[in-house]
């Protein structure tokens, strides 16, 4: 039964919709957490420490954080796999390009595909930079996320990579949220305008919220 659902286009679109919404919920929480950097190193580092003690004493140290990470990895893999397979299926179904393309549909498709690739590469860089410290530009300090963030956004390439990725994220959310709503049956003629508005607002708020951190470092507001 599970394999039958997965093999169908509807099943893959549903997997994409559900996994996308899981990641969206995480992004909203993550953005609000990131904004604590504007309250100083004490608040930001305390928040990072709280994440590692979340669920104690029922859960051991960092267990909740690892559960969140595993769920996110599964969501990203499922989302990317379904997107790739749907794309290949779409190409096989239409081997010859249409003579007359729909500009809006073509733009949305290209944005989602390239945005997904950009975000996938960004996730790898972001983990190597601020989680493992492998690609960190300064002397990575475990347990001192505030200083690590300052180090990253004190480099021009750190700012460029992050801002470009967040712009791609905004476009991805703008198109993806509405598509997910349609897939899950939430959209109809009367609700489509409201759903598109919500998608626009979510995309704008998350993009501005995330980009405000490197901008804060660049302008000296966060130092």
């Amino acid at each position: 039964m599970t394999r039958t659902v997965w093999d169908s286009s509807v099943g893959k679109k549903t997997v994409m919709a559900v996994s996308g919404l899981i990641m969206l919920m995480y992004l909203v929480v993550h953005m609000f957490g990131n904004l604590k950097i504007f309250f100083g190193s004490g608040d930001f580092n305390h928040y990072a420490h709280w994440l590692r003690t979340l669920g104690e004493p029922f859960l051991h140290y960092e267990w909740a954080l690892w559960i969140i990470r595993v769920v996110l990895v599964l969501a990203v893999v499922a989302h990317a796999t379904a997107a790739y397979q749907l794309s290949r299926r779409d190409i096989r179904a239409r081997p010859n390009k249409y003579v007359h393309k729909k500009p809006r549909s073509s733009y949305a498709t290209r944005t989602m595909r390239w945005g997904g690739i950009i975000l996938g590469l960004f996730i790898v860089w972001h983990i190597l930079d601020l989680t493992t410290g492998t690609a960190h530009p300064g002397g990575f300090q475990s347990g001192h996320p505030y200083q690590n963030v300052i180090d990253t956004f004190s480099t021009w390439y750190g700012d460029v990579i992050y801002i470009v990725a967040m712009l791609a994220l905004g476009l991805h959310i703008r198109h993806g949220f509405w598509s997910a709503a349609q897939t899950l049956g939430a959209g109809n003629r009367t609700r489509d305008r409201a759903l598109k508005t919500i998608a626009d607002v979510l995309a704008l708020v998350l993009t501005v919220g995330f980009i405000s951190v490197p901008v804060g470092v660049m302008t000296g507001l966060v130092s």
Side-chain angles (χ1 to χ4, degrees):
M1 177 64 180
T2 302
R3 184 56 187 268
T4 302
V5 172
W6 171 252
D7 286 341
S8 69
S9 293
V10 173
K12 293 183 189 299
K13 288 180 180 179
T14 302
V15 168
M16 281 192 70
V18 173
S19 59
L21 291 175
I22 289 172
M23 290 186 284
L24 179 60
M25 288 188 289
Y26 167 78
L27 287 169
V28 171
V29 175
H30 187 45
M31 183 205 67
F32 279 110
N34 280 3
L35 293 178
K36 292 185 74 67
I37 201 168
F38 290 100
F39 294 93
S41 60
D43 277 18
F44 192 70
N45 289 340
H46 178 70
Y47 164 70
H49 176 72
W50 172 79
L51 287 175
R52 286 159 173 76
T53 60
L54 187 64
E56 288 187 343
F58 179 73
L59 298 175
H60 288 291
Y61 184 76
E62 286 197 343
W63 276 24
L65 191 57
W66 275 106
I67 290 171
I68 294 171
R69 286 170 176 167
V70 169
V71 171
L72 283 173
V73 168
L74 292 175
V76 169
V77 171
H79 196 78
T81 302
Y84 174 76
Q85 292 183 357
L86 281 169
S87 177
R88 298 304 302 172
R89 182 173 293 182
D90 184 54
I91 292 173
R92 287 195 300 268
R94 296 186 289 108
N96 298 317
K97 294 182 179 180
Y98 290 135
V99 176
H100 301 290
K101 292 183 179 179
K102 293 181 179 180
R104 181 176 297 180
S105 176
S106 179
Y107 168 75
T109 300
R110 288 198 305 271
T111 299
M112 294 299 284
R113 286 176 183 171
W114 283 107
I117 293 172
I118 291 171
L119 290 172
L121 294 173
F122 168 75
I123 289 171
V124 174
W125 175 80
H126 196 53
I127 291 172
L128 293 175
D129 176 29
L130 292 174
T131 301
T132 67
T134 308
H136 191 65
F140 183 77
Q141 302 178 52
S142 180
H144 295 83
Y146 184 90
Q147 187 57 50
N148 293 333
V149 171
I150 298 294
D151 291 342
T152 293
F153 296 133
S154 294
T155 62
W156 68 267
Y157 61 86
D159 294 325
V160 170
I161 291 172
Y162 195 87
I163 290 172
V164 168
M166 293 307 102
L167 291 174
L169 175 67
L171 290 173
H172 208 75
I173 290 172
R174 184 172 180 268
H175 294 305
F177 180 83
W178 187 82
S179 296
Q182 302 305 308
T183 298
L184 297 177
N188 59 36
R189 186 170 296 179
T190 58
R191 288 198 293 261
D192 277 356
R193 179 174 294 182
L195 288 170
K196 288 180 179 179
T197 300
I198 293 172
D200 289 341
V201 171
L202 276 172
L204 180 62
V205 170
L206 286 169
T207 302
V208 172
F210 279 120
I211 288 179
S212 68
V213 177
V215 169
V217 176
M218 285 189 287
T219 58
L221 187 59
V222 177
S223 61

PDB file of all heavy atoms in Angstrom, residues 45 136 141 144-152:
ATOM      1  N   ASN A  45      23.231  32.841  23.434  1.00  0.00           N
ATOM      2  CA  ASN A  45      23.923  31.629  23.877  1.00  0.00           C
ATOM      3  C   ASN A  45      23.076  30.813  24.841  1.00  0.00           C
ATOM      4  O   ASN A  45      23.111  29.580  24.825  1.00  0.00           O
ATOM      5  CB  ASN A  45      25.257  31.993  24.545  1.00  0.00           C
ATOM      6  CG  ASN A  45      26.282  32.490  23.549  1.00  0.00           C
ATOM      7  OD1 ASN A  45      26.172  32.234  22.352  1.00  0.00           O
ATOM      8  ND2 ASN A  45      27.275  33.219  24.029  1.00  0.00           N
ATOM      9  N   HIS A 136      34.063  26.711   9.132  1.00  0.00           N
ATOM     10  CA  HIS A 136      33.913  28.007   9.813  1.00  0.00           C
ATOM     11  C   HIS A 136      35.103  28.910   9.512  1.00  0.00           C
ATOM     12  O   HIS A 136      36.245  28.456   9.541  1.00  0.00           O
ATOM     13  CB  HIS A 136      33.786  27.776  11.325  1.00  0.00           C
ATOM     14  CG  HIS A 136      33.369  28.988  12.077  1.00  0.00           C
ATOM     15  ND1 HIS A 136      32.139  29.573  11.917  1.00  0.00           N
ATOM     16  CD2 HIS A 136      34.037  29.754  12.989  1.00  0.00           C
ATOM     17  CE1 HIS A 136      32.045  30.632  12.705  1.00  0.00           C
ATOM     18  NE2 HIS A 136      33.187  30.766  13.356  1.00  0.00           N
ATOM     19  N   GLN A 141      34.050  28.038  18.088  1.00  0.00           N
ATOM     20  CA  GLN A 141      33.978  27.853  19.536  1.00  0.00           C
ATOM     21  C   GLN A 141      32.698  27.114  19.888  1.00  0.00           C
ATOM     22  O   GLN A 141      31.611  27.673  19.819  1.00  0.00           O
ATOM     23  CB  GLN A 141      34.001  29.205  20.253  1.00  0.00           C
ATOM     24  CG  GLN A 141      35.221  30.056  19.962  1.00  0.00           C
ATOM     25  CD  GLN A 141      35.151  31.393  20.669  1.00  0.00           C
ATOM     26  OE1 GLN A 141      34.932  31.474  21.885  1.00  0.00           O
ATOM     27  NE2 GLN A 141      35.313  32.479  19.913  1.00  0.00           N
ATOM     28  N   HIS A 144      29.551  28.563  21.950  1.00  0.00           N
ATOM     29  CA  HIS A 144      29.530  30.023  21.823  1.00  0.00           C
ATOM     30  C   HIS A 144      28.967  30.410  20.443  1.00  0.00           C
ATOM     31  O   HIS A 144      29.677  30.970  19.596  1.00  0.00           O
ATOM     32  CB  HIS A 144      30.939  30.596  22.004  1.00  0.00           C
ATOM     33  CG  HIS A 144      31.501  30.396  23.367  1.00  0.00           C
ATOM     34  ND1 HIS A 144      32.115  29.218  23.749  1.00  0.00           N
ATOM     35  CD2 HIS A 144      31.522  31.207  24.457  1.00  0.00           C
ATOM     36  CE1 HIS A 144      32.503  29.318  24.999  1.00  0.00           C
ATOM     37  NE2 HIS A 144      32.161  30.511  25.461  1.00  0.00           N
ATOM     38  N   PRO A 145      27.714  30.098  20.203  1.00  0.00           N
ATOM     39  CA  PRO A 145      27.119  30.352  18.884  1.00  0.00           C
ATOM     40  C   PRO A 145      27.091  31.823  18.493  1.00  0.00           C
ATOM     41  O   PRO A 145      27.185  32.150  17.310  1.00  0.00           O
ATOM     42  CB  PRO A 145      25.699  29.785  19.016  1.00  0.00           C
ATOM     43  CG  PRO A 145      25.425  29.795  20.480  1.00  0.00           C
ATOM     44  CD  PRO A 145      26.743  29.508  21.129  1.00  0.00           C
ATOM     45  N   TYR A 146      26.972  32.710  19.477  1.00  0.00           N
ATOM     46  CA  TYR A 146      26.930  34.150  19.171  1.00  0.00           C
ATOM     47  C   TYR A 146      28.198  34.575  18.444  1.00  0.00           C
ATOM     48  O   TYR A 146      28.142  35.200  17.382  1.00  0.00           O
ATOM     49  CB  TYR A 146      26.753  34.948  20.464  1.00  0.00           C
ATOM     50  CG  TYR A 146      26.601  36.439  20.252  1.00  0.00           C
ATOM     51  CD1 TYR A 146      25.341  37.011  20.075  1.00  0.00           C
ATOM     52  CD2 TYR A 146      27.719  37.277  20.251  1.00  0.00           C
ATOM     53  CE1 TYR A 146      25.191  38.385  19.896  1.00  0.00           C
ATOM     54  CE2 TYR A 146      27.583  38.647  20.072  1.00  0.00           C
ATOM     55  CZ  TYR A 146      26.312  39.195  19.892  1.00  0.00           C
ATOM     56  OH  TYR A 146      26.177  40.547  19.715  1.00  0.00           O
ATOM     57  N   GLN A 147      29.351  34.207  18.986  1.00  0.00           N
ATOM     58  CA  GLN A 147      30.619  34.578  18.370  1.00  0.00           C
ATOM     59  C   GLN A 147      30.812  33.877  17.034  1.00  0.00           C
ATOM     60  O   GLN A 147      31.378  34.454  16.092  1.00  0.00           O
ATOM     61  CB  GLN A 147      31.787  34.233  19.306  1.00  0.00           C
ATOM     62  CG  GLN A 147      33.136  34.748  18.817  1.00  0.00           C
ATOM     63  CD  GLN A 147      33.133  36.253  18.596  1.00  0.00           C
ATOM     64  OE1 GLN A 147      32.722  37.018  19.472  1.00  0.00           O
ATOM     65  NE2 GLN A 147      33.573  36.687  17.409  1.00  0.00           N
ATOM     66  N   ASN A 148      30.334  32.642  16.937  1.00  0.00           N
ATOM     67  CA  ASN A 148      30.454  31.912  15.671  1.00  0.00           C
ATOM     68  C   ASN A 148      29.665  32.601  14.558  1.00  0.00           C
ATOM     69  O   ASN A 148      30.118  32.675  13.411  1.00  0.00           O
ATOM     70  CB  ASN A 148      29.972  30.476  15.841  1.00  0.00           C
ATOM     71  CG  ASN A 148      30.878  29.661  16.747  1.00  0.00           C
ATOM     72  OD1 ASN A 148      32.074  29.948  16.865  1.00  0.00           O
ATOM     73  ND2 ASN A 148      30.316  28.653  17.397  1.00  0.00           N
ATOM     74  N   VAL A 149      28.478  33.092  14.905  1.00  0.00           N
ATOM     75  CA  VAL A 149      27.655  33.820  13.924  1.00  0.00           C
ATOM     76  C   VAL A 149      28.351  35.113  13.500  1.00  0.00           C
ATOM     77  O   VAL A 149      28.379  35.462  12.310  1.00  0.00           O
ATOM     78  CB  VAL A 149      26.254  34.124  14.497  1.00  0.00           C
ATOM     79  CG1 VAL A 149      25.485  35.070  13.572  1.00  0.00           C
ATOM     80  CG2 VAL A 149      25.459  32.832  14.679  1.00  0.00           C
ATOM     81  N   ILE A 150      28.925  35.822  14.463  1.00  0.00           N
ATOM     82  CA  ILE A 150      29.661  37.050  14.163  1.00  0.00           C
ATOM     83  C   ILE A 150      30.803  36.754  13.195  1.00  0.00           C
ATOM     84  O   ILE A 150      31.021  37.477  12.216  1.00  0.00           O
ATOM     85  CB  ILE A 150      30.229  37.692  15.445  1.00  0.00           C
ATOM     86  CG1 ILE A 150      29.104  38.085  16.412  1.00  0.00           C
ATOM     87  CG2 ILE A 150      31.089  38.910  15.093  1.00  0.00           C
ATOM     88  CD1 ILE A 150      28.202  39.164  15.907  1.00  0.00           C
ATOM     89  N   ASP A 151      31.534  35.670  13.466  1.00  0.00           N
ATOM     90  CA  ASP A 151      32.658  35.293  12.598  1.00  0.00           C
ATOM     91  C   ASP A 151      32.200  35.050  11.162  1.00  0.00           C
ATOM     92  O   ASP A 151      32.817  35.532  10.207  1.00  0.00           O
ATOM     93  CB  ASP A 151      33.334  34.018  13.121  1.00  0.00           C
ATOM     94  CG  ASP A 151      34.078  34.243  14.428  1.00  0.00           C
ATOM     95  OD1 ASP A 151      34.363  35.410  14.754  1.00  0.00           O
ATOM     96  OD2 ASP A 151      34.356  33.254  15.123  1.00  0.00           O
ATOM     97  N   THR A 152      31.119  34.289  11.019  1.00  0.00           N
ATOM     98  CA  THR A 152      30.621  33.945   9.680  1.00  0.00           C
ATOM     99  C   THR A 152      30.206  35.172   8.890  1.00  0.00           C
ATOM    100  O   THR A 152      30.576  35.339   7.725  1.00  0.00           O
ATOM    101  CB  THR A 152      29.429  32.976   9.788  1.00  0.00           C
ATOM    102  OG1 THR A 152      29.880  31.725  10.298  1.00  0.00           O
ATOM    103  CG2 THR A 152      28.784  32.749   8.418  1.00  0.00           C
TER     104      THR A 152
END
